[in-house]
Amino acid sequence: MNGPGIPWYLAISAILFSTGIAGVLLRRSPLIVLLSLEIMLNASNLAFVGFSRLFGQMDGQVFALAVMAVAAAEVCVGLGLIVAMARRNLDLDVDRMTELRG
Amino acid sequence: MGNFLVWVIWLLAAAACVGTGLRVVTASNPFSSALSLIGNLASLAVLYLLASGEFVAAAQILVYAGAVMVMFLFVIAYLGGRADAPWAGGTRLIQTASVIAATALLSVVFVALMLNADGRLSDEAEVTRAFGSPAEMGRLFLTDHLLAFEITSIVLLVAAVGGVVLGMRSENEALIDAGNGEGA
């Protein structure tokens, strides 16, 4: 490959994943928590594609596509939950969703 | 010359990726968060292309930046002002802890990369032009990974059914609405 090597890909992947972690833990809006989750899934996808290129095996790319499908499923259910919360006039705030606390 | 261009495009895409990622987390308006995430996904697709993942890049644009993000934007528009999410006030334990966790993970990966994992990350395999092409991906999906492919479709079906069930009016809600109607 003429361009940057795999370590560069992994570095970007790590930066994105840390950004996602910070977003999930810092933000209180469930929508932005979901968006941050997407960032984390995409960071792992980038690592998959990078390693797939490193080893010359395409299984990593196949798994990246599977991750995309799981992410779509997760967004479908997550957004359904958020809309259900909004229709019951609950606060859209993950810190106040404490009913399941044991 | 080609080498230089690849580096320039790669660095631009990487900078856009990190910048839009930070914007997603820091924006107080969910709409601009979602729009930044679209930019993030598009710049990631450029990085996939440069790592010879043509089909993954195309799927990234079509599935993610297209379908999933449109769903997000619809929900944000549906929620309207209720979706606005200002930052929580004050520094709490979990906020400090989350920043520490994120930086710790970041530094671990960077140290591992600087040690270059005993040089095992530097010798990339030679690949043919077919690497990452839709034809090759399709062949893999219908031969080696057929089970994963079928299970993925079941996962998506279950998620779609789950979304419909979550979106249905529960009997409770219907009763409350009927009660309000009689009262008025």
Side-chain angles (χ1 to χ4, degrees), chain B residues 122-148:
Chain B
S122 49
D123 44 349
E124 281 156 28
E126 290 295 320
V127 293
T128 58
R129 291 177 73 91
F131 187 81
S133 69
E136 197 61 15
M137 292 297 283
R139 196 188 60 74
L140 271 183
F141 263 126
L142 293 179
T143 53
D144 292 358
H145 299 284
L146 184 60
L147 182 65

Side-chain angles (χ1 to χ4, degrees), chain A residues 84-102:
Chain A
M85 276 165 70
R87 285 203 330 205
R88 286 162 179 265
N89 288 321
L90 295 173
D91 275 330
L92 289 181
D93 182 344
V94 286
D95 284 355
R96 296 203 191 162
M97 301 285 292
T98 53
E99 280 173 39
L100 280 179
R101 183 177 285 171

Side-chain angles (χ1 to χ4, degrees), chain B residues 147-158:
Chain B
L147 182 65
F149 186 63
E150 298 298 338
I151 290 178
T152 303
S153 62
I154 295 176
V155 168
L156 283 174
L157 176 70
V158 170

Side-chain angles (χ1 to χ4, degrees), chain A residues 8-21 35-51 64 67-68 71, chain B residues 17-18 21 37 40-41 44 47-48 60 64 105-106 109:
Chain A
W8 291 78
Y9 281 89
L10 297 182
I12 293 294
S13 167
I15 293 174
L16 276 183
F17 196 83
S18 308
T19 316
I21 289 183
L35 290 172
S36 306
L37 271 176
E38 296 295 316
I39 294 187
M40 288 165 75
L41 286 168
N42 275 293
S44 69
N45 263 357
L46 186 60
F48 269 126
V49 172
F51 277 120
V67 170
M68 265 183 219
Chain B
C17 203
V18 173
L37 187 59
N40 191 326
L41 299 174
L44 270 174
L47 294 187
Y48 293 164
Q60 171 94 350
Y64 248 125
L105 187 79
L106 195 61
V109 177

Side-chain angles (χ1 to χ4, degrees), chain B residues 79-114:
Chain B
L79 293 176
R82 299 193 54 193
D84 283 351
W87 283 81
T91 313
R92 288 165 305 160
L93 187 62
I94 188 166
Q95 293 181 328
T96 330
S98 62
V99 172
I100 291 174
T103 7
L105 187 79
L106 195 61
S107 41
V108 165
V109 177
F110 268 106
V111 168
L113 288 179
M114 269 191 267

